[in-house]
Coordinates of all heavy atoms in Angstrom, one line a residue:
M1 N -42.1 10.8 -18.6 CA -42.0 9.3 -18.9 C -40.5 8.8 -18.9 O -39.7 9.5 -19.4 CB -42.6 9.0 -20.2 CG -42.8 7.5 -20.5 SD -43.9 7.3 -21.9 CE -42.8 8.0 -23.2
L2 N -40.3 7.6 -18.4 CA -38.9 7.2 -18.4 C -38.5 6.8 -19.8 O -39.2 6.4 -20.6 CB -38.9 5.8 -17.5 CG -39.2 5.9 -16.0 CD1 -39.2 4.5 -15.4 CD2 -38.3 6.8 -15.3
E3 N -37.1 7.1 -19.9 CA -36.5 6.7 -21.2 C -36.3 5.2 -21.4 O -36.4 4.7 -22.5 CB -35.2 7.4 -21.3 CG -35.2 8.9 -21.5 CD -33.7 9.3 -21.5 OE1 -32.8 8.7 -22.1 OE2 -33.5 10.5 -20.9
L4 N -36.1 4.6 -20.3 CA -35.8 3.1 -20.3 C -34.6 2.9 -21.2 O -34.6 2.2 -22.1 CB -37.0 2.2 -20.9 CG -38.3 2.4 -20.0 CD1 -39.4 1.6 -20.8 CD2 -38.2 1.9 -18.7
R5 N -33.5 3.4 -20.6 CA -32.2 3.3 -21.3 C -31.7 1.8 -21.4 O -32.1 1.0 -20.6 CB -31.1 4.1 -20.6 CG -31.4 5.6 -20.7 CD -30.4 6.4 -20.0 NE -30.8 7.8 -19.9 CZ -30.2 8.7 -19.2 NH1 -29.2 8.4 -18.4 NH2 -30.6 10.0 -19.2
P6 N -31.0 1.5 -22.5 CA -30.8 0.0 -22.9 C -29.7 -0.6 -22.2 O -29.4 -1.8 -22.5 CB -30.6 0.1 -24.4 CG -30.0 1.5 -24.6 CD -30.6 2.4 -23.6
N7 N -28.9 0.1 -21.4 CA -27.7 -0.5 -20.9 C -27.2 0.1 -19.6 O -27.7 1.2 -19.1 CB -26.5 -0.4 -21.8 CG -26.1 1.1 -22.1 OD1 -26.9 1.9 -22.4 ND2 -24.8 1.4 -21.8
C8 N -26.3 -0.6 -18.9 CA -25.7 -0.1 -17.7 C -24.6 1.0 -18.0 O -23.7 0.7 -18.9 CB -25.1 -1.2 -16.9 SG -24.1 -0.7 -15.4
E9 N -24.6 2.1 -17.3 CA -23.6 3.1 -17.6 C -22.2 2.7 -17.2 O -21.2 3.3 -17.6 CB -24.0 4.4 -16.8 CG -24.7 5.4 -17.7 CD -24.8 6.7 -17.0 OE1 -23.8 7.4 -16.6 OE2 -26.0 7.2 -16.9
C10 N -22.1 1.8 -16.2 CA -20.7 1.3 -15.7 C -20.2 0.2 -16.6 O -19.1 0.4 -17.1 CB -20.9 0.8 -14.3 SG -21.1 2.1 -13.1
C11 N -20.9 -0.9 -16.7 CA -20.3 -2.0 -17.4 C -20.9 -2.3 -18.8 O -20.5 -3.3 -19.4 CB -20.5 -3.2 -16.5 SG -22.2 -3.8 -16.3
N12 N -21.8 -1.4 -19.2 CA -22.5 -1.6 -20.6 C -23.2 -2.9 -20.7 O -23.5 -3.3 -21.8 CB -21.4 -1.5 -21.7 CG -21.9 -1.1 -22.9 OD1 -23.0 -0.5 -23.0 ND2 -21.3 -1.4 -24.1
K13 N -23.7 -3.5 -19.6 CA -24.5 -4.7 -19.7 C -25.8 -4.2 -20.3 O -26.3 -3.1 -20.0 CB -24.7 -5.2 -18.3 CG -25.7 -6.4 -18.3 CD -25.9 -6.9 -16.8 CE -27.0 -8.0 -16.9 NZ -27.1 -8.6 -15.5
D14 N -26.4 -5.1 -21.1 CA -27.7 -4.9 -21.7 C -28.8 -4.9 -20.6 O -28.8 -5.8 -19.8 CB -28.1 -5.9 -22.7 CG -27.4 -5.7 -24.0 OD1 -27.0 -4.5 -24.3 OD2 -27.1 -6.7 -24.8
L15 N -29.7 -3.8 -20.6 CA -30.8 -3.8 -19.7 C -32.0 -3.6 -20.4 O -32.4 -2.5 -20.6 CB -30.5 -2.8 -18.6 CG -29.4 -2.9 -17.7 CD1 -29.1 -1.7 -16.9 CD2 -29.6 -4.1 -16.7
P16 N -32.6 -4.6 -21.0 CA -33.8 -4.5 -21.7 C -35.0 -4.0 -20.9 O -34.8 -4.0 -19.6 CB -34.1 -5.9 -22.3 CG -33.3 -6.7 -21.4 CD -32.1 -6.0 -20.9
P17 N -36.1 -3.4 -21.5 CA -37.1 -2.9 -20.7 C -37.7 -3.8 -19.6 O -38.3 -3.3 -18.7 CB -38.1 -2.5 -21.8 CG -37.7 -2.9 -23.0 CD -36.2 -3.4 -22.9
D18 N -37.6 -5.1 -19.8 CA -38.2 -6.0 -18.9 C -37.1 -6.6 -17.9 O -37.3 -7.5 -17.2 CB -38.9 -7.2 -19.6 CG -37.9 -8.0 -20.5 OD1 -36.8 -7.6 -20.6 OD2 -38.4 -9.1 -20.9
A19 N -35.9 -5.9 -17.9 CA -34.9 -6.4 -17.0 C -35.2 -6.1 -15.5 O -35.6 -5.0 -15.2 CB -33.5 -5.7 -17.3
A20 N -35.2 -7.2 -14.8 CA -35.5 -7.1 -13.4 C -34.3 -6.5 -12.6 O -34.4 -6.1 -11.5 CB -35.9 -8.4 -12.7
D21 N -33.1 -6.4 -13.2 CA -31.9 -6.0 -12.5 C -31.5 -4.6 -12.9 O -30.4 -4.2 -12.7 CB -30.7 -6.9 -12.6 CG -30.3 -7.1 -14.1 OD1 -31.2 -6.8 -15.0 OD2 -29.3 -7.6 -14.4
A22 N -32.4 -3.8 -13.5 CA -32.1 -2.4 -13.8 C -32.4 -1.5 -12.7 O -33.3 -1.7 -12.0 CB -32.9 -1.9 -15.1
R23 N -31.5 -0.5 -12.4 CA -31.6 0.4 -11.4 C -31.4 1.8 -12.0 O -30.6 2.0 -12.8 CB -30.5 0.2 -10.3 CG -30.5 -1.1 -9.7 CD -31.7 -1.3 -8.8 NE -31.7 -2.6 -8.1 CZ -32.3 -3.7 -8.6 NH1 -32.8 -3.7 -9.8 NH2 -32.2 -4.9 -7.9
I24 N -32.2 2.8 -11.4 CA -32.1 4.2 -11.9 C -32.1 5.2 -10.8 O -32.6 4.8 -9.7 CB -33.3 4.5 -12.9 CG1 -34.6 4.3 -12.2 CG2 -33.2 3.7 -14.2 CD1 -35.8 4.9 -13.0
C25 N -31.5 6.3 -11.1 CA -31.8 7.5 -10.1 C -32.7 8.4 -10.7 O -33.4 8.1 -11.6 CB -30.4 8.2 -10.0 SG -30.0 9.3 -11.3
S26 N -33.0 9.5 -9.9 CA -34.1 10.4 -10.3 C -33.9 11.0 -11.6 O -34.8 11.5 -12.3 CB -34.3 11.5 -9.2 OG -33.2 12.4 -9.2
F27 N -32.6 11.1 -12.1 CA -32.3 11.6 -13.4 C -32.3 10.5 -14.5 O -31.9 10.8 -15.7 CB -30.9 12.4 -13.4 CG -31.0 13.6 -12.5 CD1 -30.4 13.6 -11.3 CD2 -31.5 14.8 -13.0 CE1 -30.3 14.6 -10.5 CE2 -31.5 15.9 -12.1 CZ -31.0 15.8 -10.9
E28 N -32.5 9.3 -14.0 CA -32.6 8.2 -14.9 C -31.2 7.8 -15.4 O -31.1 7.2 -16.5 CB -33.5 8.4 -16.1 CG -34.4 7.3 -16.2 CD -35.3 7.3 -17.4 OE1 -36.0 8.3 -17.6 OE2 -35.4 6.3 -18.2
C29 N -30.1 8.1 -14.6 CA -28.9 7.4 -14.9 C -29.2 6.0 -14.6 O -29.9 5.7 -13.6 CB -27.8 7.9 -13.9 SG -27.6 9.7 -13.8
T30 N -28.7 5.0 -15.4 CA -29.1 3.6 -15.4 C -28.0 2.7 -15.2 O -26.9 2.8 -15.8 CB -29.9 3.3 -16.7 OG1 -30.9 4.3 -16.9 CG2 -30.4 1.9 -16.7
F31 N -28.2 1.8 -14.3 CA -27.2 0.8 -13.9 C -27.7 -0.5 -13.7 O -28.9 -0.7 -13.4 CB -26.4 1.3 -12.6 CG -25.9 2.7 -12.7 CD1 -26.6 3.8 -12.2 CD2 -24.7 2.9 -13.4 CE1 -26.1 5.1 -12.4 CE2 -24.1 4.2 -13.5 CZ -24.9 5.3 -13.0
C32 N -26.8 -1.6 -13.8 CA -27.3 -2.8 -13.4 C -27.2 -3.1 -11.9 O -26.6 -2.3 -11.2 CB -26.5 -4.0 -14.2 SG -24.8 -4.1 -13.6
Q33 N -27.9 -4.1 -11.5 CA -27.9 -4.5 -10.1 C -26.6 -4.7 -9.5 O -26.2 -4.3 -8.4 CB -28.8 -5.7 -9.8 CG -28.9 -6.1 -8.4 CD -29.8 -7.3 -8.2 OE1 -30.1 -8.0 -9.1 NE2 -30.3 -7.5 -6.9
D34 N -25.7 -5.5 -10.2 CA -24.4 -5.8 -9.8 C -23.6 -4.5 -9.5 O -23.0 -4.4 -8.4 CB -23.6 -6.5 -10.9 CG -23.9 -8.1 -10.8 OD1 -24.5 -8.4 -9.7 OD2 -23.3 -8.8 -11.6
C35 N -23.5 -3.5 -10.5 CA -22.7 -2.3 -10.3 C -23.3 -1.6 -9.2 O -22.6 -1.0 -8.3 CB -22.8 -1.5 -11.5 SG -21.8 -2.3 -12.8
T36 N -24.7 -1.5 -9.1 CA -25.4 -0.7 -8.0 C -24.9 -1.2 -6.7 O -24.6 -0.4 -5.8 CB -26.9 -0.7 -8.2 OG1 -27.1 -0.3 -9.5 CG2 -27.6 0.0 -7.1
E37 N -24.9 -2.5 -6.4 CA -24.7 -3.1 -5.2 C -23.2 -3.2 -4.8 O -22.9 -3.0 -3.6 CB -25.4 -4.4 -5.0 CG -27.0 -4.2 -5.0 CD -27.7 -5.5 -4.9 OE1 -27.1 -6.6 -4.9 OE2 -29.0 -5.5 -5.0
T38 N -22.5 -3.5 -5.8 CA -21.0 -3.8 -5.5 C -20.2 -2.5 -5.7 O -19.6 -2.1 -4.7 CB -20.4 -4.9 -6.4 OG1 -20.5 -4.6 -7.7 CG2 -21.2 -6.3 -6.1
T39 N -20.2 -2.0 -6.9 CA -19.4 -0.9 -7.1 C -19.9 0.5 -6.5 O -19.1 1.2 -6.0 CB -19.2 -0.6 -8.6 OG1 -18.8 -1.9 -9.2 CG2 -18.1 0.3 -8.9
L40 N -21.1 0.7 -6.6 CA -21.7 2.0 -6.3 C -22.2 2.2 -5.0 O -22.5 3.3 -4.6 CB -22.8 2.3 -7.4 CG -22.3 2.3 -8.8 CD1 -23.4 2.5 -9.8 CD2 -21.2 3.2 -9.1
G41 N -22.5 1.1 -4.3 CA -23.0 1.2 -2.9 C -24.4 1.8 -2.9 O -24.7 2.5 -1.9
G42 N -25.1 1.7 -4.0 CA -26.6 2.1 -4.0 C -26.7 3.6 -4.3 O -27.8 4.2 -4.3
R43 N -25.6 4.3 -4.6 CA -25.6 5.7 -5.0 C -25.3 6.0 -6.4 O -24.3 5.4 -6.9 CB -24.7 6.6 -4.1 CG -25.1 6.6 -2.6 CD -26.0 7.7 -2.4 NE -27.0 7.4 -1.2 CZ -28.1 8.1 -1.0 NH1 -28.5 9.1 -1.7 NH2 -28.8 7.7 0.0
C44 N -26.0 6.9 -7.1 CA -25.6 7.2 -8.5 C -24.3 8.0 -8.4 O -24.1 9.0 -7.7 CB -26.7 8.1 -9.0 SG -26.2 8.8 -10.6
P45 N -23.3 7.5 -9.3 CA -22.0 8.2 -9.3 C -22.1 9.5 -10.0 O -21.1 10.3 -9.9 CB -21.1 7.2 -10.0 CG -22.1 6.5 -11.0 CD -23.4 6.4 -10.2
N46 N -23.1 9.8 -10.7 CA -23.2 11.1 -11.4 C -23.8 12.3 -10.6 O -23.3 13.3 -10.6 CB -24.0 10.9 -12.7 CG -23.4 9.8 -13.6 OD1 -22.3 9.7 -13.7 ND2 -24.3 9.1 -14.3
C47 N -24.8 11.9 -9.8 CA -25.6 12.9 -9.2 C -25.5 12.7 -7.7 O -26.0 13.6 -6.8 CB -27.0 13.0 -9.7 SG -28.0 11.7 -9.3
G48 N -25.2 11.5 -7.2 CA -25.1 11.2 -5.7 C -26.4 10.8 -5.2 O -26.6 10.6 -4.0
G49 N -27.5 10.6 -6.1 CA -28.8 10.3 -5.7 C -29.0 8.8 -5.5 O -28.1 8.0 -5.8
E50 N -30.1 8.5 -4.9 CA -30.5 7.1 -4.6 C -30.7 6.3 -5.9 O -31.4 6.9 -6.8 CB -31.7 7.1 -3.7 CG -32.2 5.8 -3.2 CD -33.6 6.0 -2.5 OE1 -34.1 7.1 -2.6 OE2 -33.9 5.0 -1.9
L51 N -30.3 5.1 -5.9 CA -30.6 4.3 -7.0 C -31.7 3.3 -6.7 O -31.6 2.6 -5.6 CB -29.4 3.5 -7.5 CG -28.4 4.4 -8.2 CD1 -27.0 3.5 -8.4 CD2 -28.8 4.8 -9.6
V52 N -32.7 3.2 -7.4 CA -33.9 2.3 -7.1 C -34.2 1.4 -8.3 O -33.7 1.6 -9.4 CB -35.2 3.2 -6.7 CG1 -34.9 4.0 -5.6 CG2 -35.6 4.0 -7.9
V53 N -35.0 0.4 -8.0 CA -35.4 -0.5 -9.1 C -36.2 0.2 -10.1 O -37.1 1.0 -9.8 CB -36.3 -1.7 -8.4 CG1 -36.8 -2.6 -9.5 CG2 -35.4 -2.5 -7.4
R54 N -35.8 -0.1 -11.4 CA -36.5 0.5 -12.4 C -37.9 -0.2 -12.7 O -37.8 -1.5 -12.9 CB -35.8 0.5 -13.7 CG -36.4 1.3 -14.9 CD -35.5 1.4 -16.1 NE -35.3 0.0 -16.7 CZ -34.5 -0.2 -17.8 NH1 -33.8 0.7 -18.2 NH2 -34.4 -1.5 -18.3
P55 N -39.0 0.5 -12.7 CA -40.2 -0.3 -12.9 C -40.3 -0.8 -14.4 O -39.7 -0.2 -15.3 CB -41.3 0.9 -12.7 CG -40.6 2.1 -12.8 CD -39.2 1.9 -12.6
I56 N -40.9 -1.9 -14.5 CA -41.0 -2.6 -15.8 C -42.3 -2.0 -16.5 O -43.4 -2.3 -16.0 CB -41.0 -4.1 -15.6 CG1 -39.6 -4.5 -15.2 CG2 -41.3 -4.7 -17.0 CD1 -39.5 -5.9 -14.8
R57 N -42.1 -1.5 -17.7 CA -43.2 -1.0 -18.4 C -44.0 -2.3 -19.1 O -43.3 -3.1 -19.7 CB -42.8 -0.1 -19.6 CG -43.9 0.5 -20.4 CD -43.4 1.7 -21.3 NE -42.8 2.7 -20.5 CZ -41.9 3.6 -20.9 NH1 -41.8 3.8 -22.2 NH2 -41.4 4.5 -20.1
P58 N -45.3 -2.3 -18.9 CA -46.0 -3.5 -19.5 C -45.7 -3.6 -21.1 O -45.7 -2.6 -21.7 CB -47.5 -3.1 -19.2 CG -47.4 -2.2 -18.1 CD -46.1 -1.4 -18.3
A59 N -45.6 -4.9 -21.4 CA -45.3 -5.1 -22.8 C -46.2 -4.4 -23.8 O -45.8 -4.0 -24.9 CB -45.2 -6.7 -23.0
D60 N -47.5 -4.4 -23.5 CA -48.4 -3.9 -24.4 C -48.3 -2.4 -24.6 O -48.9 -1.8 -25.5 CB -49.9 -4.3 -24.1 CG -50.3 -3.8 -22.7 OD1 -49.4 -3.5 -21.9 OD2 -51.5 -3.7 -22.5
K61 N -47.5 -1.8 -23.7 CA -47.4 -0.4 -23.7 C -46.1 0.1 -24.5 O -45.8 1.2 -24.9 CB -47.2 0.3 -22.3 CG -48.5 0.1 -21.5 CD -49.7 0.8 -22.0 CE -50.9 0.8 -21.1 NZ -51.5 -0.5 -21.1
L62 N -45.2 -0.9 -24.6 CA -43.8 -0.7 -25.2 C -44.0 -0.4 -26.7 O -43.2 0.4 -27.2 CB -42.9 -1.9 -25.0 CG -42.4 -1.9 -23.6 CD1 -41.6 -3.3 -23.5 CD2 -41.4 -0.8 -23.4
A63 N -44.9 -0.9 -27.4 CA -45.1 -0.7 -28.8 C -45.4 0.8 -29.0 O -44.8 1.4 -29.9 CB -46.3 -1.6 -29.3
K64 N -46.3 1.4 -28.2 CA -46.5 2.8 -28.4 C -45.5 3.7 -27.8 O -45.3 4.9 -28.2 CB -47.9 3.0 -27.7 CG -48.7 4.2 -28.4 CD -50.1 4.3 -27.8 CE -50.7 5.6 -28.4 NZ -52.1 5.7 -27.7
H65 N -44.9 3.2 -26.6 CA -43.9 4.0 -25.9 C -42.6 3.2 -25.9 O -42.3 2.7 -24.8 CB -44.4 4.4 -24.5 CG -45.7 5.1 -24.6 ND1 -45.8 6.4 -24.9 CD2 -47.0 4.7 -24.3 CE1 -47.2 6.7 -24.9 NE2 -47.8 5.7 -24.5
P66 N -41.9 3.1 -27.0 CA -40.7 2.3 -27.0 C -39.7 2.8 -26.1 O -39.5 4.0 -25.8 CB -40.3 2.2 -28.5 CG -40.9 3.6 -29.0 CD -42.1 3.8 -28.2
P67 N -38.7 1.9 -25.7 CA -37.6 2.3 -24.8 C -36.5 3.0 -25.6 O -36.5 2.9 -26.9 CB -37.0 0.9 -24.3 CG -37.4 0.0 -25.3 CD -38.7 0.4 -25.9
S68 N -35.7 3.8 -24.9 CA -34.6 4.5 -25.7 C -33.7 3.5 -26.2 O -33.4 2.4 -25.7 CB -33.9 5.4 -24.6 OG -32.6 5.8 -25.1
T69 N -33.0 3.8 -27.3 CA -32.0 2.9 -27.9 C -30.6 3.6 -27.8 O -29.6 3.1 -28.2 CB -32.3 2.7 -29.4 OG1 -32.4 3.9 -30.1 CG2 -33.5 1.8 -29.6
A70 N -30.6 4.8 -27.2 CA -29.3 5.5 -27.0 C -28.6 5.1 -25.9 O -28.9 5.2 -24.7 CB -29.6 7.1 -26.9
R71 N -27.4 4.4 -26.1 CA -26.6 3.8 -25.0 C -25.8 4.9 -24.4 O -25.2 5.7 -25.1 CB -25.7 2.7 -25.6 CG -26.5 1.6 -26.2 CD -25.5 0.5 -26.7 NE -25.1 -0.4 -25.7 CZ -25.8 -1.5 -25.3 NH1 -26.8 -1.8 -25.9 NH2 -25.4 -2.3 -24.4
V72 N -25.8 4.9 -23.1 CA -25.0 5.9 -22.3 C -24.0 5.1 -21.5 O -24.4 4.2 -20.7 CB -25.9 6.8 -21.3 CG1 -25.0 7.6 -20.5 CG2 -26.9 7.5 -22.1
V73 N -22.7 5.3 -21.8 CA -21.7 4.7 -21.0 C -20.7 5.7 -20.5 O -20.3 6.6 -21.2 CB -21.0 3.6 -21.8 CG1 -20.0 2.7 -21.0 CG2 -22.0 2.7 -22.5
K74 N -20.3 5.4 -19.2 CA -19.3 6.3 -18.7 C -17.9 6.0 -19.3 O -17.5 4.8 -19.3 CB -19.2 6.2 -17.1 CG -20.5 6.8 -16.5 CD -20.4 6.5 -15.0 CE -19.5 7.5 -14.2 NZ -19.9 8.9 -14.2
Q75 N -17.2 7.0 -19.8 CA -16.0 6.8 -20.5 C -15.0 5.9 -19.8 O -14.4 5.0 -20.3 CB -15.3 8.1 -20.7 CG -15.9 8.9 -21.9 CD -15.3 8.6 -23.1 OE1 -14.1 8.8 -23.3 NE2 -16.1 8.3 -24.2
D76 N -14.8 6.3 -18.5 CA -13.8 5.5 -17.7 C -14.3 4.5 -16.8 O -13.7 4.1 -15.7 CB -12.9 6.5 -16.9 CG -12.3 7.6 -17.8 OD1 -11.8 7.1 -18.9 OD2 -12.3 8.8 -17.5
G77 N -15.6 4.1 -16.9 CA -16.3 3.2 -16.1 C -16.6 3.9 -14.8 O -16.6 5.1 -14.7
C78 N -17.0 3.1 -13.8 CA -17.4 3.7 -12.5 C -16.3 3.4 -11.4 O -15.9 2.3 -11.3 CB -18.7 3.1 -12.1 SG -20.1 3.6 -13.2
A79 N -16.0 4.5 -10.7 CA -15.1 4.3 -9.6 C -15.9 3.7 -8.4 O -17.1 4.0 -8.3 CB -14.5 5.7 -9.2
P80 N -15.3 2.8 -7.7 CA -16.0 2.3 -6.5 C -16.4 3.4 -5.5 O -15.7 4.4 -5.4 CB -15.0 1.3 -5.8 CG -13.9 1.0 -6.9 CD -13.9 2.3 -7.8
A81 N -17.6 3.2 -4.9 CA -18.0 4.1 -3.9 C -16.9 4.3 -2.8 O -16.3 3.3 -2.4 CB -19.3 3.7 -3.3
A82 N -16.8 5.5 -2.3 CA -15.9 5.7 -1.3 C -16.2 4.8 0.0 O -17.3 4.8 0.4 CB -15.8 7.2 -0.8
A83 N -15.1 4.2 0.5 CA -15.4 3.2 1.6 C -15.7 4.0 2.9 O -15.2 5.1 3.1 CB -14.2 2.3 1.8
Ligands
LIG1 ZN1 -23.3 -2.6 -14.6
LIG2 ZN1 -27.9 10.2 -11.2

C-alpha cells in the first residue's frame, strides 16, 4: 500500500493525499508536478525511475488507511536533470 507521503522531496511543498499534482516513482519517492516536469525531467533523482501521477485514495478509505506524516526532503534539494 502506498505511504502517501505529505510533501515534495525537492521543494517541500505540501502534497496532501488528494493532491492532483503529486508524482511518485516505484519506490514512492514523492515530488510535486512542478519539480517533476521542470527540474527532474520526469525521472526520480534518487533511483532514476519513472515518475507517474500518484493515485488519489478515496476519502472514505483515508480514515482507516491514513497517509504518512513523515516528511522526506532532500538535504540539498534536487539538481536539475542532466540536459
Ligand atoms: Zn517540488
Ligand atoms: Zn525513486
